[in-house]
């Protein structure tokens, strides 16, 4: 039975979302995945439809989204649907929605030097074999500095600073470039590479995304029949119990 994926693109045109969505569609179709492509956030309005998918690929930068739509996505991923994406299309999508940031594992805060910075992507040896066979490589693009969930498993990094700026006098840091995490039963995959279409079509970047898409989409079958975890009481039991996303404190 074919796996099913939904790609939703939009937001800031500078990230060439339509072109990147088309590349992602081609990658998935090569892997015999049935793909639906949408240019509206209303594609997230039907929670049952989302739960019927194997994979959600957001590619929407600097937008605003209704809380109920994020809730729908979150619940689908918690039930086992994978979510995977790149660059600002996934981790600079909705700056005012912390639920989205918690689910995806991080959020963009800067790209010192802007576009055209040459930097190294360093593949890490970890428990994951997702990037096996891919060697360290150079990219000329935006070098993303992100605020990152410490729970992620980091699969690739880049060293800061490369460009002089207010961050330069800090100790050098290895910033995550590619990571995975879990959200309920769902698999989450992210790569900060992919500013524009010609970066996504770099052989290494295309392979990273292909591997990430397939890994994220496989999770639903592996955890079929398991009960998805939701927010629960912690600590001394006096904390509020959450049954879904978007509740106020």
């Amino acid at each position: 039975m074919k796996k099913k994926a939904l790609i939703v693109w939009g937001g800031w045109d500078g990230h060439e979302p339509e072109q990147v969505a088309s590349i992602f569609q081609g990658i998935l179709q090569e892997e015999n995945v049935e793909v639906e492509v949408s240019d509206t956030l209303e594609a997230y309005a039907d929670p049952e439809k989302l739960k019927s998918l194997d994979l959600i690929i957001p590619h929407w930068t600097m937008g605003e989204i209704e809380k109920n739509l994020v809730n729908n996505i979150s619940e689908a991923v918690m039930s086992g649907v994978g979510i995977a994406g790149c660059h600002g299309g996934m981790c600079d999508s909705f700056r005012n929605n912390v639920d989205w940031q918690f689910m995806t594992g991080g959020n963009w805060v800067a790209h010192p030097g802007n576009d055209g910075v040459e930097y190294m992507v360093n593949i890490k040896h970890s428990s994951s074999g997702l990037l096996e066979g891919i060697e360290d490589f150079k990219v000329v693009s935006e070098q993303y500095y992100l605020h990152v969930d410490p729970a992620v498993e980091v699969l690739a990094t880049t060293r800061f600073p490369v460009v002089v700026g207010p961050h330069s006098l800090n100790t050098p840091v290895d910033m995550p470039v590619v990571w995975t995490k879990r959200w309920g039963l769902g698999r989450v995959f992210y790569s900060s590479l992919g500013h524009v279409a010609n970066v996504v079509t770099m052989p290494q970047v295309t392979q990273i995304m292909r591997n990430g898409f397939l890994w994220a989409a496989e999770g639903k079958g592996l955890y079929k029949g398991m009960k998805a975890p939701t927010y629960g009481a912690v600590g001394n039991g006096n904390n509020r119990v959450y049954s879904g996303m978007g509740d106020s404190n």
Side-chain angles (χ1 to χ4, degrees):
M1 187 173 178
K2 275 190 173 185
K3 288 186 168 58
K4 296 188 293 183
L6 170 67
I7 301 173
V8 180
W9 65 267
W12 184 57
D13 286 339
H15 279 161
E16 300 180 354
E18 185 174 10
Q19 297 94 315
V20 172
S22 179
I23 295 167
F24 289 167
Q25 181 180 15
I27 291 171
L28 291 169
Q29 288 175 337
E30 289 173 359
E31 300 294 339
N32 200 34
V33 176
E34 181 182 323
V35 186
E36 177 184 347
V37 181
S38 176
D39 63 354
T40 173
L41 294 175
E42 288 303 309
Y44 299 133
D46 184 343
E48 295 309 311
K49 179 180 177 181
L50 295 181
K51 289 177 184 177
S52 75
L53 301 170
D54 297 282
L55 179 64
I56 297 169
I57 301 175
H59 199 70
W60 197 292
T61 307
M62 293 188 292
E64 294 186 4
I65 190 170
E66 296 294 328
K67 186 176 290 186
N68 68 295
L69 299 181
V70 174
N71 292 351
N72 291 346
I73 300 164
S74 174
E75 289 171 8
V77 177
M78 284 193 290
S79 76
V81 179
I83 186 168
C86 76
H87 203 65
M90 180 159 146
C91 282
D92 190 24
S93 295
F94 312 114
R95 295 178 183 177
N96 292 329
N97 193 292
V98 293
D99 293 336
W100 179 266
Q101 295 164 23
F102 191 17
M103 176 177 63
T104 57
N107 200 68
W108 171 87
V109 293
H111 40 57
N114 300 315
D115 195 13
V117 174
E118 182 178 278
Y119 62 95
M120 287 295 299
V121 174
N122 302 112
I123 308 301
K124 288 180 63 69
H125 297 289
S126 68
S127 64
S128 172
L130 263 177
L131 304 191
E132 187 175 348
I134 300 174
E135 304 293 334
D136 296 354
F137 61 98
K138 286 183 180 178
V139 179
V140 179
S141 183
E142 291 179 339
Q143 187 186 29
Y144 259 24
Y145 202 103
L146 302 117
H147 288 170
V148 180
D149 182 349
V152 304
E153 179 169 5
V154 179
L155 307 186
T157 62
T158 185
R159 175 62 62 91
F160 279 88
V162 171
V163 175
V164 174
H167 64 301
S168 299
L169 295 182
N170 294 308
T171 302
V173 296
D174 291 320
M175 178 60 57
V177 172
V178 180
W179 68 67
T180 61
K181 66 173 288 188
R182 300 301 198 277
W183 189 250
L185 301 179
R187 291 177 166 187
V188 180
F189 176 86
Y190 175 73
S191 169
S192 69
L193 303 166
H195 174 56
V196 288
N198 66 8
V199 177
V200 178
T201 55
M202 290 178 60
Q204 300 95 327
V205 179
T206 299
Q207 191 61 50
I208 287 170
M209 297 311 301
R210 184 187 303 273
N211 293 356
F213 292 156
L214 296 177
W215 175 83
E218 287 169 357
K220 186 176 182 180
L222 293 175
Y223 303 119
K224 188 175 181 179
M226 291 180 63
K227 183 176 174 59
T230 58
Y231 285 130
V234 295
N236 61 12
N238 294 325
N239 304 79
R240 181 172 179 176
V241 177
Y242 294 93
S243 60
M245 298 296 291
D247 298 281
S248 59
N249 291 327

